């Protein structure tokens, strides 16, 4: 299920190193990852560009796992040993912990085979749909616009046709032509989810929200803008610009709880792992989530 687990994260971000330690704990035969295991990986990577100082990285990641214990509370499926030398899987089967593991794996695309990336990303998008539906005004119409949605998707066909349909639904004036798009483009145009409130009439000037969902650890810095008016205001004009959301399975935080890479966050509302877990709990959405069967596959792995 997971691969390249001897490839350590680049850089020093504690949230990425903590994810890596959690993945190693899930897939280890003893369901744990220790300071000694990290030392061994450091020796394997000593002559590579990915070399690192194991004691420094361990202290950083284990401290960040401690922060996750505090912030995710009962939904965090790991514990730290008393001597802080080992991170142990403590999965209890609860839906909150299952969701956490699902988001952890979705945030680890570099460790997934290409044959599984699409299906896992889709389950992440379905999770985002449920949460997004609760963030827009009550009574809103909510639609998924993601690519490869199948014949039952509300928006199908060439991207031009999809954008015309979206413009119609949000009561915008489209200013696009078929030749503005590549001939075989059936993608989503950077918009995965849309919502609008009809305001009990047919006039323009309604609350609108667009969202993009992404699992990449690097691409979020530009993908957050793909559903924004910056990208689409010339495609269809509306009386009042829409709110833009970007959903990610990454736990995008510093040690003190501030946003990591805040200077790279533009005019999008970021919904990261912590917000996804807390909002799912707040709105009791567990019965609307996908099965996350890939979590069971991952826990069935037994590396030595």
């Amino acid at each position: 299920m997971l691969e390249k687990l001897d490839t350590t994260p680049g850089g020093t971000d504690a949230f990425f190193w903590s994810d890596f330690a959690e993945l190693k704990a899930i897939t280890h035969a003893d369901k744990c990852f220790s300071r000694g295991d990290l030392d061994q990986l450091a020796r394997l990577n000593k002559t590579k560009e990915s070399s690192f100082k194991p004691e420094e990285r361990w202290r950083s990641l284990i401290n960040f796992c401690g922060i996750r214990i505090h912030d995710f509370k009962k939904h965090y499926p790991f514990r730290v040993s008393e001597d802080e030398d080992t991170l142990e899987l403590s999965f209890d089967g609860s839906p909150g912990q299952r969701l956490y593991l699902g988001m952890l794996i979705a945030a680890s695309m570099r460790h997934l085979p290409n044959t599984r990336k699409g299906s896992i990303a889709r389950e992440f998008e379905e999770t985002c749909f449920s949460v997004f539906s609760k963030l827009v005004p009550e009574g809103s119409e909510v639609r998924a616009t993601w690519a490869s949605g199948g014949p039952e998707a509300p928006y199908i066909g060439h991207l031009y046709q999809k954008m015309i349909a979206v413009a119609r639904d949000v009561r915008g004036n489209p200013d696009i032509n078929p030749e503005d798009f590549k001939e075989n483009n059936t993608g989503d145009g950077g918009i995965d989810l849309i919502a609008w409130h009809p305001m009990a009439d047919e006039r323009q000037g309604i609350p609108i929200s667009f969202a993009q969902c992404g699992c990449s650890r690097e691409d979020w810095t530009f993908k957050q803008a793909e559903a924004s008016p910056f990208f689409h205001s010339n495609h269809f004009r509306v009386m009042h610009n829409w709110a833009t959301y970007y959903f990610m399975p990454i736990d995008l935080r510093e040690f003190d709880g501030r946003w990591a890479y805040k200077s790279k966050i533009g005019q999008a509302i970021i919904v990261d792992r912590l917000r996804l877990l807390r909002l799912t709990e707040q709105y009791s959405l567990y019965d609307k989530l996908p099965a996350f069967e890939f979590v069971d596959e991952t826990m069935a792995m037994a590396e030595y």
Side-chain angles (χ1 to χ4, degrees), residues 16-153:
F16 286 150
W17 279 90
S18 295
D19 280 4
F20 178 74
E22 291 167 4
L23 288 178
K24 294 291 284 185
I26 295 171
T27 56
H28 194 279
D30 296 328
K31 301 305 175 190
C32 65
F33 182 68
S34 69
R35 187 194 302 263
D37 294 327
L38 188 64
D39 284 339
Q40 183 177 3
L41 283 173
R43 289 193 294 272
L44 289 172
N45 287 273
K46 191 173 182 179
T47 60
K48 302 178 183 178
E49 292 182 5
S50 56
S51 62
F52 60 91
K53 297 178 180 179
E55 184 57 34
E56 185 178 304
R57 292 279 65 76
W58 179 261
R59 184 49 42 199
S60 174
L61 75 83
I62 208 68
N63 286 344
F64 199 79
C65 288
I67 291 170
R68 287 178 171 175
I69 290 171
H70 176 270
D71 292 343
F72 285 97
K73 297 182 170 54
K74 65 181 181 179
H75 304 311
Y76 189 62
F78 300 91
R79 59 173 171 258
V80 176
S81 63
E82 289 188 13
D83 60 8
E84 297 188 340
D85 272 357
T86 307
L87 180 69
E88 304 166 351
L89 180 67
S90 56
F91 180 61
D92 62 9
S94 65
Q97 291 194 4
R98 190 175 189 83
L99 174 58
Y100 182 95
L101 293 176
M103 297 302 96
L104 169 65
I105 296 166
S108 305
M109 286 286 164
R110 68 191 301 228
H111 296 294
L112 291 172
N114 290 334
T115 55
R116 302 302 302 275
K117 290 179 180 179
S119 61
I120 290 175
R122 177 50 51 85
E123 293 201 34
F124 171 66
E125 291 171 334
E126 292 170 356
T127 301
C128 297
F129 181 91
S130 296
V131 174
F132 178 68
S133 298
K134 293 297 184 180
L135 299 180
V136 297
E138 185 177 355
S140 293
E141 298 286 337
V142 185
R143 302 284 187 272
T145 61
W146 50 60
S148 304
E152 296 182 358

Side-chain angles (χ1 to χ4, degrees), residues 277-294:
L277 266 289
R278 287 181 171 178
L279 290 167
T280 299
E281 177 77 10
Q282 178 179 341
Y283 292 109
S284 302
L285 297 174
Y286 293 116
D287 61 342
K288 298 183 181 299
L289 300 184
F292 299 129
E293 292 181 359
F294 59 87

